[in-house]
Amino acid sequence: MGSRHQARERALQILFQYDIHRRPGLWLDVFWKENEATDVAKAFAERLVAGVLEKKKELDALIGKYATNWKISRMPIVDRNILRAGIYELFWMDDVPAKVTVNEAIELAKSFGDDEASKFVNGILDQILNKELALAAKRAEAGAVKREA
C-alpha cells in the first residue's frame, strides 16, 4: 500500500471520528497508537485532516451545490468525508494531480462505502473538477477527468 493511499485511509478514519465526537481528544492519540502509519503517511493524513477541518464550511457548500437532492447531514458519514477530503485536495493541495485525487477518492468509496458510493463520489468530484473556475489548471492537467466508477 502506497504511503499516500495509507494516509488517505487514515485521514478518512480520523474525519469519520471527528464527525462522531465533534472534537479531538484522547481518541486521536489512541487512534495513532492502534493504526500504524509511516511518518510520511501520518504527516500527509494530518495535513489533509487539518485542511478539511479548517475549510469544512466551504467544502460542505461545494458538496451541497453539486449533490442535488442531498443534504450534507443526510449523507453517509463516509461519503461526505471522502468528498470533503477529495475537494480539499483538488482546491488546496497543488502537489496532488486531480486524476490521483479522483481515483483515490473512488477507491476509498469502494473500500469503505456502500455499493453506490464510488459512483456518487465520482459524479460529484467530476462535476466540481469540470465546472469550478478555480480548478481550470488542474482540469487542464487532468484532461477533464472522466472515469466510470
Side-chain angles (χ1 to χ4, degrees):
M1 174 185 319
S3 177
R4 285 200 170 175
H5 180 78
Q6 180 188 55
R8 287 180 181 92
E9 283 187 356
R10 297 297 183 252
L12 175 61
Q13 293 165 325
I14 292 168
L15 291 168
F16 187 96
Q17 291 296 321
Y18 267 104
D19 251 6
I20 293 169
H21 296 288
R22 304 278 182 218
R23 63 185 189 286
L26 182 59
W27 66 265
L28 188 55
D29 293 332
V30 172
F31 174 85
W32 283 119
K33 286 179 185 167
E34 293 177 354
N35 294 279
E36 286 186 31
T38 65
D39 289 342
V40 172
K42 186 175 178 181
F44 186 86
E46 289 177 345
R47 176 180 166 206
L48 190 53
V49 168
V52 167
L53 294 176
E54 178 187 339
K55 303 286 188 184
K56 187 176 169 203
K57 285 184 182 180
E58 293 171 64
L59 297 168
D60 286 355
L62 279 163
I63 295 168
K65 179 178 174 182
Y66 291 99
T68 54
N69 302 318
W70 278 95
K71 288 186 177 184
I72 300 292
S73 62
R74 302 283 298 161
M75 281 180 192
I77 295 173
V78 169
D79 295 3
R80 73 174 166 241
N81 282 300
I82 291 170
L83 287 169
R84 286 171 178 158
I87 296 165
Y88 180 80
E89 279 192 38
L90 288 173
F91 278 90
W92 290 283
M93 295 180 85
D94 294 334
D95 61 320
V96 181
K99 193 174 210 172
V100 171
T101 296
V102 173
N103 288 339
E104 285 286 325
I106 292 167
E107 291 305 313
L108 288 172
K110 286 178 181 177
S111 295
F112 293 98
D114 66 19
D115 293 340
E116 296 298 312
S118 62
K119 292 176 188 171
F120 179 70
V121 166
N122 184 37
I124 300 299
L125 292 179
D126 186 59
Q127 285 186 74
I128 290 170
L129 180 59
N130 287 301
K131 293 180 180 176
E132 287 295 314
L133 295 176
L135 295 175
K138 279 208 174 184
R139 183 170 45 253
E141 167 193 299
V145 174
K146 295 280 185 195
R147 176 177 169 181
E148 292 298 317

